[in-house]
Amino acid sequence: TELLFFIFNAHRNYFLTLSECDLKLAESLRLRLCRLEQSGLTAEFISFLAELQKTQIFNCKDYGGFASFRNALCEKHSEWLGFPIITQNQCIGFFSLNKEASKELSEEDLRFCQALFEQSAGHLRHLVLYEAEIDHLRRQVSERSSYGEIIGQSKKMQEVYELIDLVSGSDATVLISGENGTGKELVAQAIHWRSHRRKGPFIVANCSAYSPTLLESELFGHEKGAFTGAISQKKGRIERAQAGTLFLDEIGDIAPATQILLLRFLQDHCFERVGGEKTIKADVRVLAATNRNLRQEVQVGRFRDDLYYRLNVIAIHLPALRERKEDIPLLAQHFLKKFNLKEGKKIHKFSSNAMQVLMEYEWPGNVRQLENAVSHAVILCQGDSVQGRHLPGFLRDVMGESASTSLAENERSLIVRVLKESNWNKHDAARRLRVSRSTLYSKIRRYGLEKIQSPTV
């Protein structure tokens, strides 16, 4: 018995491929379909199916084109019966069996097959469309080049985007780590704007910007007269973040006393204002960020371990820019557009020399430093292309050093390679390098290559 089962893809312009079957069978069918496609029989068969709107039973004699297609595919000559699979007046596939098999089926059996396909057609089409949508979403995620204001399409940034998607629907505390300038606040904003709290406020508290006493007041607020200068009651940032998100930046810098107060708040979301006795309950999600290794801070006793575990429910680490250099062109172009708009310019690109410098620099200040460098270049550039001379001084210095050393290093590497290829035959190496032997000897001495000569030379 030979059966064939064709199901259209989501666009109804080709058939789904066999992804899970015997490899030999799949490869054999693939090659046959390729031959049929080249002959035009596949397109003819697809056009025939696309026009069908009603369920019916076909004999291959009713449509010679299908017989040619089927016989060519199976490399046998026989007679066939076929059942188009129809839903909502659209053909989504075709089932056929050879006549020898159909002889074993009564008229009642054939009507049952026809009814079965009528009942299952809608479900089959739904599954095809569902899988196509899933594939589309997967491609979108894998090809995502930005997430809100976060720019990057490297593998490490795709992992960050995936984590943002996963944690946004929760109220869990998130600890965002990474060097200064990597975009930790942007990640916190992205989580907030994708969460159910997006209609609430997003409040930032920079924990490194205040003394311990002032930080307590900034976070929890204070009552009138709580300390010198407290001339009125003040709501803290926790209260102001009600029904929203509180972002604690540089959480690793807070003093031990404040750590205790913050730990209590994270445990029950209750607090008192400085100088007050009334307990206030706050509906706030806490996101925290640090450029320190808090685990090490805990080990040396500068950070409470219980607070660390309260904060580190979910961790997101942002890679340094030097760890994702493939994102530099994308980031540079993004900042170029941004500062073009700000400065009223129409700079289209970076020269290859300027881009090479951006790619080779280590960027200790990360994305923020790159942004400032592009801003500097846009201000100085008067043409339509950023050149090396428009870059900040620290990049021009690196460019000069790189050029002076790279020429020598490239020459040394070339000489070593040619000498090795020539089995250290200097006459042959000089010929390949198109220099005199005396010049080659001079360069060998300059680069200290004599000591690695082969003893047979």
Side-chain angles (χ1 to χ4, degrees):
T1 300
E2 289 185 352
L3 309 175
L4 281 182
F5 199 9
F6 301 94
I7 296 292
F8 272 132
N9 62 9
H11 301 291
R12 295 178 66 244
N13 58 5
Y14 205 71
F15 303 116
L16 295 178
T17 55
L18 293 171
S19 58
E20 296 181 5
C21 69
D22 182 84
L23 292 177
K24 292 183 178 179
L25 173 61
E27 181 63 16
S28 174
L29 288 175
R30 187 187 67 80
L31 292 173
R32 292 181 192 178
L33 283 171
C34 286
R35 290 198 298 269
L36 291 172
E37 190 171 357
Q38 293 171 357
S39 68
L41 288 175
T42 302
E44 184 180 356
F45 181 45
I46 290 174
S47 297
F48 162 68
L49 294 182
E51 295 177 359
L52 297 180
Q53 296 181 348
K54 296 180 180 180
T55 57
Q56 53 192 304
I57 299 176
F58 277 94
N59 187 299
C60 65
K61 295 178 181 178
D62 298 330
Y63 177 64
F66 173 60
S68 301
F69 175 85
R70 178 66 192 261
N71 290 336
L73 181 64
C74 296
E75 298 179 348
K76 291 183 179 180
H77 298 282
S78 184
E79 295 185 12
W80 305 90
L81 290 179
F83 301 84
I85 304 171
I86 307 289
T87 180
Q88 296 181 349
N89 297 324
Q90 286 187 337
C91 180
I92 65 163
F94 198 84
F95 174 81
S96 70
L97 69 167
N98 62 359
K99 195 166 185 180
E100 287 75 12
S102 67
K103 288 178 181 178
E104 302 174 4
L105 300 177
S106 64
E107 288 293 325
E108 185 177 352
D109 292 332
L110 293 176
R111 285 196 297 271
F112 172 79
C113 290
Q114 187 175 4
L116 175 64
F117 289 126
E118 288 178 358
Q119 290 292 323
S120 60
H123 298 292
L124 286 171
R125 185 59 177 167
H126 174 75
L127 286 173
V128 170
L129 293 175
Y130 176 76
E131 287 297 325
E133 179 64 19
I134 293 297
D135 288 341
H136 174 68
L137 291 174
R138 284 174 182 158
R139 286 194 299 272
Q140 274 191 325
V141 170
S142 64
E143 297 169 0
R144 191 182 294 179
S145 61
S146 64
Y147 199 117
E149 291 296 314
I150 312 167
I151 306 296
Q153 57 186 8
S154 60
K155 181 181 178 181
K156 290 187 176 182
M157 293 309 296
Q158 299 300 327
E159 293 171 356
V160 171
Y161 300 158
E162 185 177 356
L163 279 172
I164 293 174
D165 283 334
L166 292 173
V167 306
S168 294
S170 166
D171 263 345
T173 306
V174 180
L175 180 61
I176 308 165
S177 61
E179 295 179 7
N180 287 332
T182 51
K184 297 186 289 294
E185 185 172 341
L186 294 179
V187 171
Q189 289 175 350
I191 293 172
H192 171 74
W193 290 115
R194 281 189 60 85
S195 74
H196 65 91
R197 296 178 177 273
R198 58 186 171 273
K199 292 183 180 179
F202 178 82
I203 302 297
V204 179
N206 190 328
C207 300
S208 64
Y210 303 97
S211 66
T213 303
L214 285 178
L215 180 59
E216 288 183 24
S217 174
E218 282 296 318
L219 290 178
F220 304 104
H222 62 251
E223 298 291 350
K224 180 179 179 181
F227 51 83
T228 303
I231 59 175
S232 62
Q233 184 191 78
K234 175 187 174 181
K235 288 185 177 181
R237 295 179 187 259
I238 292 176
E239 276 187 87
R240 289 159 52 193
Q242 181 70 20
T245 302
L246 174 67
F247 176 53
L248 300 174
D249 198 9
E250 303 304 345
I251 190 71
D253 293 342
I254 63 176
T258 311
Q259 291 180 31
I260 297 173
L261 296 173
L262 184 59
L263 175 62
R264 185 209 164 185
F265 170 70
L266 291 174
Q267 287 173 338
D268 55 22
H269 280 243
C270 293
F271 67 97
E272 292 92 32
R273 299 190 188 104
V274 176
E277 297 179 354
K278 179 182 177 182
T279 299
I280 303 170
K281 190 170 182 63
D283 174 24
V284 174
R285 183 185 190 175
V286 175
L287 306 176
T290 181
N291 63 355
R292 299 187 181 189
N293 186 327
L294 286 191
R295 187 181 295 275
Q296 290 182 359
E297 296 292 298
V298 169
Q299 291 172 352
V300 298
R302 286 194 292 263
F303 202 85
R304 294 180 62 95
D305 57 351
D306 45 6
L307 177 58
Y308 170 70
Y309 294 121
R310 280 284 179 181
L311 291 170
N312 196 35
V313 176
I314 298 172
I316 297 178
H317 178 71
L318 289 180
L321 186 55
R322 61 182 173 276
E323 297 172 358
R324 56 178 185 111
K325 285 194 171 183
E326 61 269 40
D327 287 332
I328 289 177
L330 190 66
L331 283 160
Q333 201 62 38
H334 168 75
F335 293 134
L336 182 64
K337 292 179 181 178
K338 173 181 176 179
F339 293 114
N340 265 337
L341 185 63
K342 182 178 179 180
E343 303 295 335
K345 294 190 174 182
K346 295 182 179 179
I347 305 171
H348 300 137
K349 61 180 181 177
F350 293 84
S351 69
S352 58
N353 182 41
M355 183 55 70
Q356 181 181 354
V357 174
L358 296 181
M359 292 293 291
E360 291 179 353
Y361 189 61
E362 289 301 301
W363 299 107
N366 293 294
V367 179
R368 187 180 297 129
Q369 186 184 18
L370 174 62
E371 180 178 11
N372 292 337
V374 175
S375 174
H376 180 284
V378 169
I379 291 171
L380 295 187
C381 181
Q382 299 300 316
D384 62 355
S385 175
V386 172
Q387 304 295 322
R389 65 180 182 275
H390 301 135
L391 297 174
F394 68 90
L395 287 175
R396 292 200 305 274
D397 293 342
V398 170
M399 181 170 55
E401 293 171 7
S402 175
S404 63
T405 57
S406 63
L407 179 60
E409 285 299 318
N410 287 337
E411 184 178 59
R412 183 184 186 281
S413 299
L414 176 63
I415 293 172
V416 170
R417 179 172 61 81
V418 173
L419 282 169
K420 287 181 178 179
E421 291 173 354
S422 304
N423 197 25
W424 290 86
N425 184 315
K426 297 170 190 170
H427 176 76
D428 186 34
R431 180 182 57 81
R432 293 190 185 191
L433 291 167
R434 298 183 182 180
V435 297
S436 66
R437 278 198 292 174
S438 61
T439 300
L440 178 59
Y441 277 106
S442 174
K443 291 185 181 295
I444 287 174
R445 286 192 298 271
R446 179 190 304 171
Y447 297 125
L449 303 180
E450 289 284 356
K451 60 183 179 182
I452 59 172
Q453 283 188 8
S454 170
T456 61
V457 177

